[in-house]
Amino acid sequence: MKRFAIKDYGAAKDVLTEIEGEPRPVDETHVRVEIVTFAINPYDVALRQGAMRAFRKVTFPYVLGNDGAGIVTEVGKDITHVKVGDEVIVHAISGTYGEEIVVPGKKIVKKPAAMSWEVAAGAVTPWLTTYNLVTHLLGDQIGETVMVQGASGAVGSLLVQFLKAQGKTVLASAAKRNEALVRQLGVDQFVAYDEADAGEIFADQADTVIDATKGGRAGKAGMEIMKAGGNFVALNDLPTEQIKQGNYFSFGPSKEYSDAEALTALADFSQQLHLTIAEVLPFDLASVIEGHERLEGHPAAGKIIVKKAAE
C-alpha cells in the first residue's frame, strides 16, 4: 500500500518520501476506505516544516493528510450509515496521503453522487472551519452584516456562500485578480485590498469580521470595519493591539465540534457549494512535493488536489 510520509522536519524535497504501509485491521467502529483524492492543506505544510512541533508530537515516518474522499472497502460490525462500495468524504486525524486509510465511522459521510471527487476532498477542512465558526463559535450573536477578509481563499469563499445562504449581508475583500471569483459568490460589496483601504471604505459597518487571510494579515483593517462591541474572529493569531472594543475570538478546531454533524451539513449543502480547484495532480510523490512547494509561495486561489487515475 503506497503512502506519502515525512521522514523528518524540513524542506519538501528533502523530507517527503514514499513508503509501503501495512494495512490496519478494522474493528467494529471503523471503516476502511480506498482513497481516490486527497487535499494538500497549509496545515500539512506547517506540520512538515516543524511549526507545530511544540504541541503536536509525531513519530517518523509520519503520513500527512486530514482531508480525502474514496470508496468504502470494509466496515466494522457497528457501522450502519455506510456500506462497502459507498463513495465517502473523509476527515482523518492524519493519513489521507495514501492509497487507503482506516478511520472511525464518525469521521466519514456518504459523498453525494453529484459532488466531484476533487470537491469532496478539497472542501473538508475549509467547510469544517466555516460551519463550526458560524454555527457553534458565533451562533446567534453573529449579527446581520458580516465582513469576510480573504474571501477568495478556500475558507473565505465557503464562508461567503454559507452566510449568504443564511440571508446575511456579506462584505468582502480579496486581491483585485480574484474580484470576479468573489463577486460570483454573491457578496453584497467588495473591495480589492491591493487597490483600496477596506478599513476606511467599510468602517464601522460589520457586526462580525472574520479574518480569513493567509497569515492573518488584515487585522487592523478588520478592527476598523467591526462595529464597536461587535465580533472579530481570526483564523490565525489575534491582533496584538485591539484598537476597538469588541469580542475577539481566535478560532481553531475543538473536540466539542462533531465531525459527523459538520460533514452531514457539507453533504446537504453540496448542491449549492462552489469550491475553486487550482490544480489536480497525479497520485505520486512528485505531485505531493510540488503541492507543498506551491503552497509555500503565493499560489492562485483554489485547492491543490492529488487524484488517483481512473482504472
Side-chain angles (χ1 to χ4, degrees):
M1 175 181 58
K2 182 165 63 176
R3 308 187 85 190
F4 307 111
I6 52 173
K7 58 187 179 182
D8 199 348
Y9 297 123
K13 62 182 176 58
D14 295 331
V15 302
L16 278 161
T17 186
E18 182 179 319
I19 64 173
E20 190 67 22
E22 291 295 325
R24 283 182 52 198
V26 173
D27 66 17
E28 61 272 12
T29 63
H30 282 64
V31 178
R32 190 185 309 280
V33 178
E34 177 191 346
I35 294 292
V36 175
T37 50
F38 63 83
I40 297 177
N41 289 317
Y43 181 84
D44 305 339
V45 173
L47 188 59
R48 185 255 305 158
Q49 291 173 327
M52 309 292 181
R53 73 175 79 190
F55 52 88
R56 178 79 187 271
K57 303 299 182 184
V58 304
T59 301
F60 300 114
Y62 184 81
V63 181
L64 297 168
N66 307 111
D67 304 352
I71 301 168
V72 174
T73 58
E74 186 179 353
V75 298
K77 65 181 181 63
D78 292 347
I79 301 298
T80 59
H81 64 294
V82 296
K83 64 184 185 303
V84 172
D86 282 346
E87 298 178 349
V88 293
I89 304 168
V90 177
H91 181 240
I93 294 175
S94 66
T96 57
Y97 283 27
E99 292 183 313
E100 76 167 39
I101 190 169
V102 174
V103 289
K106 63 185 180 181
K107 291 282 192 177
I108 67 171
V109 68
K110 283 186 183 179
K111 179 181 78 68
M115 191 181 212
S116 73
W117 287 113
E118 292 84 352
V119 170
V124 178
T125 288
W127 174 262
L128 292 175
T129 299
T130 294
Y131 180 84
N132 290 322
L133 188 161
V134 173
T135 306
H136 294 299
L137 178 70
L138 294 174
D140 293 339
Q141 70 173 311
I142 195 169
E144 294 304 312
T145 300
V146 182
M147 172 71 189
V148 178
Q149 299 173 288
S152 63
V155 174
S157 64
L158 294 190
L159 279 165
V160 169
Q161 294 169 71
F162 193 45
L163 291 165
K164 289 303 299 179
Q166 296 181 350
K168 306 299 184 185
T169 297
V170 178
L171 316 177
S173 63
K176 178 65 177 178
R177 64 178 179 168
N178 295 320
E179 178 175 359
L181 183 157
V182 174
R183 288 193 181 278
Q184 287 171 5
L185 301 176
V187 297
D188 295 277
Q189 295 186 61
F190 174 86
V191 167
Y193 69 78
D194 46 357
E195 288 191 347
D197 184 348
E200 181 178 318
I201 293 172
F202 292 149
D204 302 312
Q205 291 189 32
D207 300 300
T208 292
V209 174
I210 304 171
D211 182 359
T213 60
K214 184 177 181 180
R217 300 186 302 262
K220 183 175 184 296
M223 290 185 287
E224 292 169 346
I225 295 165
M226 178 182 71
K227 295 177 182 178
N231 307 304
F232 181 96
V233 184
L235 302 188
N236 296 279
D237 295 332
L238 285 167
T240 53
E241 182 183 358
Q242 297 170 1
I243 63 175
K244 188 181 294 185
Q245 182 181 3
N247 306 305
Y248 289 83
F249 304 95
S250 179
F251 179 82
S254 169
K255 292 181 179 179
E256 296 179 5
Y257 303 145
S258 164
D259 278 1
E261 175 191 331
L263 292 174
T264 299
L266 170 60
D268 291 342
F269 196 73
S270 63
Q271 287 191 322
Q272 57 194 114
L273 178 146
H274 171 78
L275 182 74
T276 301
I277 305 296
E279 194 163 7
V280 180
L281 302 172
F283 206 94
D284 57 33
L285 178 62
S287 294
V288 177
I289 293 171
E290 179 182 348
H292 273 247
E293 290 177 341
R294 284 178 184 267
L295 281 182
E296 288 184 81
H298 299 281
K303 297 290 292 186
I304 297 175
I305 304 296
V306 175
K307 184 178 184 181
K308 189 177 295 183
E311 296 181 354

